[in-house]
Amino acid sequence: MKCRACSRPAVIDIRRHNTAFCQDCFVRHCRDQVERTVHAYDMFGPDDRVLVAVSGGKDSLALWDILLDLGVRADGLYLGLGIGEYSDASGRYARDFASRRGAKLVEVDIPTTFGFDIPTGAPAARRTPCSACGLSKRHLFNQAALDGGYDVVATGHNLDDEAAVLFGNVLRWDLAYLGRQLPVLPADDGFARKVKPLVRLSERETAAYCVLKGIEYIVEECPMAEGNRHLGYKGALNDVEVRSPGSKAAFYFGFLERVAPLVETHATEQRADLHPCPECGSPTVSEVCAFCRLAEKARRNASRGGHPPETDSSTEHR
Amino acid sequence: MKCRACSRPAVIDIRRHNTAFCQDCFVRHCRDQVERTVHAYDMFGPDDRVLVAVSGGKDSLALWDILLDLGVRADGLYLGLGIGEYSDASGRYARDFASRRGAKLVEVDIPTTFGFDIPTGAPAARRTPCSACGLSKRHLFNQAALDGGYDVVATGHNLDDEAAVLFGNVLRWDLAYLGRQLPVLPADDGFARKVKPLVRLSERETAAYCVLKGIEYIVEECPMAEGNRHLGYKGALNDVEVRSPGSKAAFYFGFLERVAPLVETHATEQRADLHPCPECGSPTVSEVCAFCRLAEKARRNASRGGHPPETDSSTEHR
């Protein structure tokens, strides 16, 4: 197998592109794909300050690395979720990467700052761990971007992530969620711009990128995510992709091109009633925002030392 | 496990409805689901003559049986596809059912009538077997309905079929196909009305219906279908359904309720240029209709005794 770009021996093939690359050309390919995505969706300009949501996993570290290589003014934000050893290890990978690249890493630790952690806070608020975690991330990334004067929050969602989330939203035909599943969500009153520059790269490619660039990352899936629906959707789409390489990309980009414009209005309708949360000032449609309610219930439960019943809600909305 | 309707011992549970039934109540449940579907989508009235597309499999025989039990004027149509022993056995099941119910079965044999069979005709026309078969069925069911003065063609597509076809069409976001994926396609110039009264029943339920009613049917999948995309999509959705019972129904009916109305116009646009095929008179957008082209290529190839290369096309469009 030879590199399609330079004919040297290839180290990775990409079936959906019917191509293969050597190490150098693959790294350049990943960078080109991100650059192309940033331009195609007008994600940010050369003077914008970007806050990268860094988990310590392959996607977010690959994203941060590529953005720095492209000369983007990109700082990282790491959230401590309080998920035991998993969080400790994730944080170390994020910090090590930042110090090796000489990049700035902002840290927010949920347990010390807000007095709860995801494993006990989620059931206290009758949410699944993934739901409580996703809600906390969306809230705190946004808050940190606004507080730090960043123009945009960049997350490491890759093609597999987006296709799986799309699949979940399509299975329920939730038009409000579908209308917001875009690689760019523009800034709005109280909301920073959100962008997903990795949507043209699969998770196999971000993993290979890290390995080939010598970036160490946490390989384990989050222990709280085991068996969640999102992973089920990923598995189902993986089966389809194996039979028909390119299915995921056709699914996701076909949606963006031909269907998102038809459902976009459904997303904006929901946002009509936004007002500032009396607790934290974040825009919300509820009386108190979902994060402050989660934190309040989690703290109340922690002070009682109790364990409430059953969980609900899911994690497909991004 | 007790029957939810009458508390006798249950013989089958239906997880997506969170219910279970004894034999009698299950048979009644299936009949009710079909009756409800026929009314909900205004598929046909008491005086309409219905032509049931009968393959000899569980779905089409269950459909025909239920329609007869509901007092519908339903004749059957069996197409001989020339797929060796599979076709021979399928035909016998169809004929046996018809004679036991004293119902009328119309038969059209493709090899004797049109001079080709699916296994050799498909590659001659550079189609997959499932593509050539689906095309032939759509054409000949329609033709037989018009010729026989039937008001409507009823097919045995069940919930699993429709969800899998929808999944395939959604993966490609083919809006023209999506706009036509409805349980009723109205009659149009040269097209009989098409209805799918089994869309509220899963294939596990149609199989159980046949077993419990003592209807014998061909259990084997068509040997030509092995490994086709449609079965892959079914498998992927089955994985999702096992984790979240009800996913398929939510997917299919959510589409019908909330999305089909948004894409319906895309389907009608395609039909603007219809004219009669010079060979057979069927409406077509091509010069000669797809079935006549298939038959012509298949016969030409048969007379040469040759085998042309490679196949193309898929089977998701219904």
Side-chain angles (χ1 to χ4, degrees):
Chain A
M1 196 170 62
K2 284 184 176 178
C3 174
R4 281 289 178 103
C6 74
S7 296
R8 281 185 297 177
V11 297
I12 185 168
D13 68 323
I14 307 180
R15 285 187 67 199
R16 75 176 184 287
H17 295 318
N18 195 22
T19 194
F21 291 114
C22 71
Q23 174 159 346
D24 289 353
C25 292
F26 176 70
V27 166
R28 194 176 313 115
H29 163 80
C30 292
R31 205 184 296 142
D32 289 349
Q33 292 286 309
V34 170
E35 195 169 24
R36 186 177 155 195
T37 306
V38 169
H39 287 146
Y41 298 103
D42 203 10
M43 290 183 165
F44 45 79
D47 297 328
D48 283 335
R49 291 183 61 221
V50 176
L51 186 64
V52 181
V54 175
S55 69
K58 62 192 186 314
D59 301 310
S60 57
L61 293 180
L63 171 61
W64 198 6
D65 191 67
I66 291 171
L67 293 182
L68 292 171
D69 284 351
L70 289 171
V72 176
R73 302 168 66 196
D75 296 342
L77 169 63
Y78 175 78
L79 282 189
L81 302 163
I83 309 179
E85 168 56 24
Y86 175 78
S87 284
D88 298 343
S90 305
R92 281 195 301 272
Y93 285 111
R95 274 168 230 123
D96 286 354
F97 177 87
S99 86
R100 274 193 298 127
R101 293 276 331 209
K104 179 181 169 187
L105 181 69
V106 183
E107 292 197 47
V108 176
D109 190 60
I110 293 181
T112 52
T113 314
F114 298 98
F116 74 98
D117 57 38
I118 297 298
T120 61
R126 298 180 181 235
R127 287 180 174 267
T128 62
C130 296
S131 161
C133 181
L135 158 63
S136 302
K137 284 176 173 171
R138 284 192 297 276
H139 179 88
L140 295 171
F141 289 153
N142 189 61
Q143 203 65 55
L146 296 178
D147 292 350
Y150 292 92
D151 300 288
V152 52
V153 172
T155 55
H157 295 107
N158 58 40
L159 175 59
D160 301 68
D161 293 325
E162 291 302 292
V165 172
L166 179 60
F167 184 30
N169 287 333
V170 160
L171 279 173
R172 285 182 292 277
W173 294 108
D174 188 314
L175 298 187
Y177 283 3
L178 283 172
R180 288 177 52 74
Q181 211 200 328
L182 304 170
V184 178
L185 288 179
D188 202 348
D189 205 18
F191 290 107
R193 194 189 316 162
K194 312 277 191 319
V195 303
K196 299 170 181 171
L198 294 190
V199 292
R200 283 186 198 278
L201 295 176
S202 74
E203 66 183 30
R204 179 168 163 269
E205 287 146 47
T206 60
Y209 178 89
C210 287
V211 170
L212 294 173
K213 287 268 299 201
I215 297 168
E216 294 191 43
Y217 62 90
I218 186 151
V219 174
E220 291 74 38
E221 283 282 355
C222 172
M224 311 299 293
E226 207 174 308
N228 81 3
R229 280 196 201 144
H230 183 68
L231 293 179
Y233 299 148
K234 273 195 173 176
L237 288 180
N238 284 343
D239 293 344
V240 171
E241 182 77 12
V242 166
R243 286 163 176 264
S244 308
S247 295
K248 278 184 204 176
F251 176 49
Y252 177 65
F253 291 105
F255 168 77
L256 292 185
E257 278 162 33
R258 297 192 292 282
V259 182
L262 301 177
V263 294
E264 237 168 326
T265 50
H266 291 268
T268 48
E269 281 165 13
Q270 267 217 338
R271 305 207 130 192
D273 302 331
L274 286 175
H275 62 264
C277 169
E279 306 282 326
C280 71
S282 292
T284 178
V285 290
S286 323
E287 204 183 315
V288 173
C289 84
F291 177 78
C292 287
R293 280 182 286 144
L294 164 67
E296 169 61 22
K297 286 178 188 163
R299 281 190 300 257
R300 208 162 50 210
N301 183 64
S303 71
R304 282 202 314 260
H307 285 286
E310 291 305 282
T311 59
D312 69 4
S313 229
S314 82
T315 178
E316 271 58 62
H317 172 39
R318 299 274 169 119
Chain B
M1 194 171 63
K2 283 185 177 175
C3 173
R4 281 290 177 100
C6 73
S7 295
R8 281 184 298 175
V11 296
I12 184 168
D13 68 322
I14 307 180
R15 285 188 67 201
R16 75 176 184 288
H17 295 316
N18 195 23
T19 192
F21 291 114
C22 70
Q23 174 159 344
D24 289 352
C25 292
F26 176 70
V27 167
R28 192 176 313 116
H29 163 79
C30 292
R31 204 182 299 142
D32 289 349
Q33 291 288 310
V34 170
E35 194 169 24
R36 186 177 155 196
T37 306
V38 169
H39 287 147
Y41 298 103
D42 202 10
M43 291 184 165
F44 45 79
D47 297 327
D48 284 334
R49 288 184 61 221
V50 177
L51 186 63
V52 181
V54 175
S55 69
K58 62 193 185 315
D59 301 310
S60 56
L61 293 181
L63 171 61
W64 198 5
D65 191 67
I66 290 171
L67 292 183
L68 291 171
D69 283 352
L70 288 171
V72 177
R73 300 169 66 196
D75 296 342
L77 169 63
Y78 175 77
L79 281 190
L81 302 162
I83 309 179
E85 168 55 25
Y86 175 78
S87 285
D88 298 341
S90 305
R92 282 195 300 272
Y93 286 112
R95 274 169 231 125
D96 286 353
F97 177 87
S99 85
R100 274 194 297 127
R101 292 276 332 207
K104 179 180 168 188
L105 181 68
V106 182
E107 291 198 48
V108 176
D109 189 60
I110 293 182
T112 52
T113 314
F114 298 98
F116 74 98
D117 57 38
I118 296 298
T120 62
R126 298 180 180 237
R127 287 179 173 270
T128 62
C130 297
S131 161
C133 181
L135 158 62
S136 302
K137 283 176 174 170
R138 285 192 297 276
H139 179 88
L140 295 171
F141 289 153
N142 190 62
Q143 203 64 55
L146 297 179
D147 292 350
Y150 292 92
D151 300 289
V152 52
V153 173
T155 55
H157 294 106
N158 58 40
L159 175 59
D160 301 68
D161 293 325
E162 290 303 291
V165 172
L166 179 61
F167 184 30
N169 287 333
V170 159
L171 280 172
R172 286 182 292 277
W173 293 108
D174 188 313
L175 298 188
Y177 283 4
L178 284 171
R180 288 178 52 76
Q181 211 200 328
L182 304 170
V184 178
L185 288 179
D188 202 347
D189 204 17
F191 290 108
R193 195 190 314 162
K194 313 277 190 320
V195 303
K196 299 170 181 171
L198 294 190
V199 293
R200 283 186 199 278
L201 295 176
S202 75
E203 66 183 30
R204 179 168 162 271
E205 286 145 48
T206 59
Y209 178 89
C210 286
V211 170
L212 295 174
K213 287 268 301 204
I215 297 168
E216 293 191 44
Y217 62 91
I218 185 151
V219 174
E220 291 76 36
E221 283 282 355
C222 172
M224 312 298 294
E226 207 174 306
N228 81 4
R229 281 197 201 142
H230 182 69
L231 293 179
Y233 300 148
K234 273 197 174 175
L237 289 181
N238 284 343
D239 292 344
V240 171
E241 182 77 14
V242 166
R243 285 162 175 264
S244 307
S247 294
K248 279 184 204 176
F251 176 48
Y252 177 64
F253 290 105
F255 168 77
L256 292 186
E257 278 162 32
R258 296 191 294 283
V259 183
L262 301 177
V263 294
E264 237 169 323
T265 51
H266 291 268
T268 48
E269 280 164 15
Q270 266 216 336
R271 304 208 130 192
D273 302 331
L274 286 176
H275 62 265
C277 169
E279 307 281 326
C280 71
S282 291
T284 177
V285 290
S286 323
E287 206 185 311
V288 174
C289 85
F291 178 75
C292 288
R293 280 182 286 145
L294 163 66
E296 169 59 23
K297 286 177 189 164
R299 281 190 300 256
R300 208 163 48 209
N301 182 65
S303 70
R304 282 201 315 260
H307 285 287
E310 291 304 283
T311 58
D312 67 5
S313 230
S314 83
T315 179
E316 270 60 62
H317 171 39
R318 300 274 170 120

